[in-house]
Amino acid sequence: MAIIYDTYPQEDKLVMSTKDTTNAGVRKIKPIWKKVFVLLTCMSFYFAYYNSFFSKNGMVSFCSMPSTTASSNCPMIKPLSPTFENSSVERILRDPEFKKEAIEKFSGAIKIDTEVQDVNPSPKKDRQYWSQFTKFQDYLKETFPLTFAHLELDIVNEFGMVLTWEGSNSDLKPMMLTAHQDVVPVNPSTVDQWTFPPYSGAYDKETDTVWGRGSFDCKNLLIGELQAVETLLQDGFKPTRTVLVIFGFDEESSGPHGAATLSKFLLEKYGSDGLYSIVDEGFGVVKVSEDIYMATPITGEKGHLNSLFEIKGHGGHSSSPPMSGHTNIGVAAKLISLLEDTPFEAAYTPENPVWNLLTCLSEHSTKFDSKTKDIIKKSATSPKYQKILLEFLLESQPFKELVRTSQAVDIIKGGVKSNALPEDVSFVVNHRIEVGSSVQETINHDLDAAQSIAEIYSYGLKYKDEFLIPETENGYIVYDYTSDLEPAPVSPHNNNAWEVFTQSIQETFENGVFANSDNDISFYVTESLATFNTDTKFYWDLTRNIYRFQAVVLPEDALKSFHSVNEHIAVKDHLSTIAFVYNYILNVNEYETSD
Ligand SMILES: *[C@@H]1O[C@H](CO)[C@@H](O)[C@H](O)[C@H]1NC(C)=O
Ligand SMILES: [Zn+2]
């Protein structure tokens, strides 16, 4: 336990105990580099605004051409073209008949409302609650007849789906494609704000888009995977490597019934590290400038922790507040202030995917000024520039939480009556843990803050049923946590699986989607980091090669409708999703490897 206290800077406590309140204990992030870098505007999803993010107010960067120097740290990769001679990729991307059918199948899947709530009953105990999923699966069977005829279907925990397309060589580790059947609920009070009703699955001819809850998250990918398999079967393809298509059913409520049980099934069957790769939902392709596009598959996920604080003090009549001048609500406020004024420190963790993302953006985006480019480039090898880069990123809304553990006070409870002093006050802080940090470090940070406040305001401190500081006459502070999840292991890049994956993306866009385009489009593949979690958090033991990606070009407004009103997706993006999965299955099968 002792180590816990060592990380909190001693001077904070000194400042706090001598100067007491107002601004005490504050380790401020120094507002440097503001003169060098333009302070960038805030938006809520970082991947929707690479474009606007690095643009200098009204200034056109002189480095506006994509870098062609030999020293590129983000070179264009070679597409890997499948040799399968009956390939349907052209048909998938450009045949009006294929498109019409694909829209119908996709739209039908959106029409079946598969909402899940935050907490859902076990499907074994309450099948009725999940009856929409029976309907949904019947629809899938009807819509993809070849797939369900040729692949073996295992049902795990009532609604988890495991489709196995047996390969001819059982020595090869299976590849896994996954997605989730469930969608987030539509807030009833927002239904009239939808341009098309949320479960209409409406196709809007004018904009060539399909509308509805789940169109983006995650039925595009789910239907895309099934359609790719269905088309490969039509085309007479037979895999050498087993293809698994796995669908969870409660990803939006953290997957306790779906992915959690699916992972056990898969581990039992294939063993630890028994799969070749996993492709799940994630980011897509970003339009960096008019003729430059970049795929940003997610190769890492931040960890997670909910810290629970409780001030367990004494009550009394409000006409006689405590000597300290602080009620238990006030003490809770002090603790919240201390936490917020002492954000987690940013770290340059080498395996953080954000460095490759920044390298690629800075080399190929026209929106970076030369100074920023220079700093990003030098940061690859120089600790001094790493520090400068971190300070810069901390000033930017979309990037600041990619390099440190975030914290957000999200729930607070306390007090019942205006003339009664509050006895118990509790609050919850939600954390997303930095790639190089850990659940334990996050706990330590929060426990240290609680300890500081306990010492200054004379409270005890309790953690895991143990008093770290004995209860005082004021009472004590309790620290506890839930929902702890370590940061995901970052997917490796130095192996064949990564090459095949990224080259399949390159193939799908360079030789597919953009092949007949009017302008000369440059396409790159980089990587990115998620600040949220997907079903893959249950699959870490199955393979290190986990890629979170759907082959869609993210429109600038797409993320506004993500989990909100007017979720929709362009049909061309649904088609490229199918095309990528199609190419990827072929390439994984054709690529000679003993894995
Ligand atoms: C090639 O694909 C078409 C459908 O796209 C199919 O009808 C045909 O049988 C396939 N050819 C072979 C040799 O499997
Ligand atoms: Zn999702």
Side-chain angles (χ1 to χ4, degrees):
M1 274 312 129
I3 310 158
I4 287 168
Y5 303 117
D6 291 338
T7 52
Y8 209 70
Q10 211 54 39
E11 59 268 26
D12 285 356
K13 288 176 202 158
L14 291 176
V15 173
M16 296 198 72
S17 49
T18 51
K19 286 209 308 205
D20 190 18
T21 53
T22 38
N23 217 10
V26 179
R27 264 186 290 162
K28 277 249 168 71
I29 300 298
K30 282 163 258 140
I32 43 172
W33 287 102
K34 274 188 186 160
K35 284 181 200 126
V36 178
F37 299 107
V38 177
L39 193 57
L40 302 147
T41 50
C42 303
M43 292 166 86
S44 55
F45 287 91
Y46 83 86
F47 51 110
Y49 39 52
Y50 294 143
N51 264 351
S52 56
F53 186 58
F54 286 96
S55 52
K56 247 183 149 177
N57 281 349
M59 274 181 70
V60 179
S61 163
F62 60 84
C63 294
S64 62
M65 294 305 291
S67 170
T68 50
T69 55
S71 69
S72 171
N73 288 319
C74 181
M76 193 180 285
I77 61 168
K78 277 206 176 64
L80 186 61
S81 310
T83 58
F84 180 59
E85 66 238 341
N86 207 17
S87 169
S88 276
V89 166
E90 271 304 298
R91 201 159 65 87
I92 292 168
L93 291 172
R94 288 181 243 285
D95 177 41
E97 209 43 51
F98 184 94
K99 174 175 164 176
K100 189 165 158 271
E101 249 182 67
I103 293 171
E104 267 167 36
K105 291 178 176 184
F106 182 33
S107 162
I110 295 165
K111 286 191 178 108
I112 303 165
D113 153 4
T114 49
E115 285 186 0
V116 290
Q117 307 301 321
D118 280 349
V119 179
N120 307 283
S122 145
K124 282 201 159 57
K125 289 202 180 110
D126 191 351
R127 254 194 97 83
Q128 184 52 34
Y129 178 90
W130 299 90
S131 59
Q132 285 293 100
F133 289 77
T134 307
K135 230 170 126 185
F136 185 68
Q137 296 187 4
D138 288 344
Y139 174 77
L140 297 181
K141 287 172 193 164
E142 213 171 275
T143 310
F144 301 100
L146 285 178
T147 303
F148 283 86
H150 284 80
L151 279 65
E152 193 182 312
L153 174 64
D154 284 295
I155 293 293
V156 177
N157 198 18
E158 308 299 314
F159 298 105
M161 300 175 84
V162 177
L163 283 156
T164 306
W165 193 2
E166 203 71 55
S168 55
N169 183 353
S170 58
D171 290 343
L172 298 174
K173 291 177 181 176
M175 64 184 291
M176 168 170 156
L177 306 165
T178 184
H180 58 87
Q181 304 164 61
D182 57 300
V183 299
V184 285
V186 172
N187 182 344
S189 70
T190 62
V191 170
D192 56 0
Q193 292 169 36
W194 286 70
T195 310
F196 301 95
Y199 294 106
S200 62
Y203 169 60
D204 180 26
K205 204 165 178 181
E206 204 171 304
T207 53
D208 206 17
T209 46
V210 173
W211 292 65
R213 170 62 82 237
S215 56
F216 194 90
D217 180 12
C218 179
K219 287 176 177 168
N220 168 55
L221 183 62
L222 185 145
I223 298 298
E225 290 171 352
L226 288 173
Q227 185 60 61
V229 169
E230 186 82 1
T231 311
L232 282 165
L233 284 163
Q234 274 167 9
D235 296 343
F237 175 72
K238 292 191 177 73
T240 44
R241 188 187 290 276
T242 295
V243 181
L244 300 172
V245 186
I246 312 275
F247 300 140
F249 57 95
D250 59 348
E251 192 275 342
E252 300 293 1
S253 64
S254 299
H257 304 299
T261 56
L262 285 163
S263 73
K264 285 199 192 104
F265 175 91
L266 295 168
L267 270 172
E268 221 155 85
K269 192 158 177 191
Y270 299 107
S272 177
D273 202 28
L275 299 186
Y276 170 84
S277 71
I278 296 175
V279 174
D280 193 8
E281 61 175 331
F283 293 170
V285 171
V286 177
K287 187 174 176 181
V288 173
S289 67
E290 212 34 64
D291 49 8
I292 299 172
Y293 288 76
M294 206 172 273
T296 59
I298 296 168
T299 52
E301 289 182 11
K302 292 181 79 180
H304 187 280
L305 183 77
N306 281 336
S307 280
L308 320 174
F309 296 88
E310 197 174 358
I311 319 296
K312 278 191 167 302
H314 304 302
H317 197 274
S318 50
S319 59
S320 177
M323 280 299 288
S324 70
H326 299 292
T327 68
N328 293 317
I329 289 179
V331 173
K334 291 288 175 194
L335 180 46
I336 291 172
S337 295
L338 177 60
L339 286 165
E340 290 194 341
D341 292 340
T342 324
F344 284 74
E345 282 182 29
Y348 191 95
T349 301
E351 64 267 30
N352 190 336
V354 77
W355 311 128
N356 279 336
L357 173 65
L358 281 170
T359 298
C360 283
L361 285 171
S362 68
E363 274 193 28
H364 304 299
S365 167
T366 55
K367 308 287 173 72
F368 281 57
D369 59 276
S370 56
K371 195 139 203 162
T372 313
K373 284 177 183 229
D374 189 50
I375 286 165
I376 292 170
K377 191 166 183 129
K378 285 179 174 153
S379 71
T381 50
S382 153
K384 182 182 143 205
Y385 279 91
Q386 287 166 7
K387 205 163 161 270
I388 293 169
L389 181 59
L390 285 177
E391 281 157 355
F392 165 53
L393 294 177
L394 283 177
E395 297 288 325
S396 86
Q397 178 65 20
F399 280 93
K400 67 181 167 45
E401 307 305 349
L402 298 181
V403 294
R404 69 173 175 197
T405 298
S406 67
Q407 54 179 5
V409 183
D410 287 332
I411 301 172
I412 183 159
K413 288 185 185 128
V416 286
K417 218 163 170 297
S418 65
N419 64 356
L421 295 171
E423 284 157 349
D424 283 2
V425 184
S426 62
F427 63 95
V428 177
V429 184
N430 177 260
H431 294 289
R432 306 300 164 113
I433 304 167
E434 192 263 331
V435 175
S437 184
S438 64
V439 166
Q440 192 58 54
E441 268 185 17
T442 311
I443 292 171
N444 293 353
H445 173 278
D446 285 1
L447 204 44
D448 286 342
Q451 188 214 354
S452 286
I453 294 300
E455 283 173 357
I456 292 160
Y457 298 101
S458 273
Y459 280 75
L461 177 63
K462 192 176 168 188
Y463 172 54
K464 286 193 173 167
D465 298 325
E466 189 192 337
F467 277 96
L468 304 178
I469 303 173
E471 180 175 0
T472 70
E473 58 184 17
N474 292 332
Y476 58 98
I477 299 172
V478 185
Y479 175 77
D480 203 351
Y481 61 87
T482 61
S483 312
D484 50 313
L485 175 72
E486 298 291 350
V490 176
S491 321
H493 296 51
N494 53 353
N495 61 10
N496 293 341
W498 175 252
E499 264 173 43
V500 174
F501 172 71
T502 53
Q503 292 183 342
S504 300
I505 299 175
Q506 188 78 25
E507 166 67 20
T508 304
F509 285 89
E510 186 181 318
N511 294 334
V513 176
F514 296 132
N516 305 340
S517 136
D518 293 340
N519 19 359
D520 197 7
I521 286 170
S522 303
F523 186 86
Y524 298 91
V525 182
T526 179
E527 61 178 326
S528 56
L529 171 72
T531 55
F532 50 84
N533 298 111
T534 64
D535 271 346
T536 59
K537 65 175 180 279
F538 293 105
Y539 300 143
W540 297 346
D541 290 343
L542 290 165
T543 176
R544 285 295 305 272
N545 305 319
I546 297 180
Y547 314 127
R548 303 154 191 90
F549 176 73
Q550 42 184 339
V552 303
V553 175
L554 297 166
E556 270 160 49
D557 68 343
L559 287 312
K560 260 190 248 157
S561 62
F562 191 68
H563 287 196
S564 184
V565 296
N566 285 331
E567 184 176 344
H568 64 278
I569 189 168
V571 172
K572 69 169 178 54
D573 290 313
H574 182 55
L575 298 176
S576 56
T577 301
I578 302 167
F580 166 71
V581 175
Y582 187 100
N583 274 330
Y584 183 58
I585 293 174
L586 288 179
N587 280 338
V588 168
N589 273 279
E590 290 179 7
Y591 201 82
E592 298 278 334
T593 166
S594 55
D595 288 348

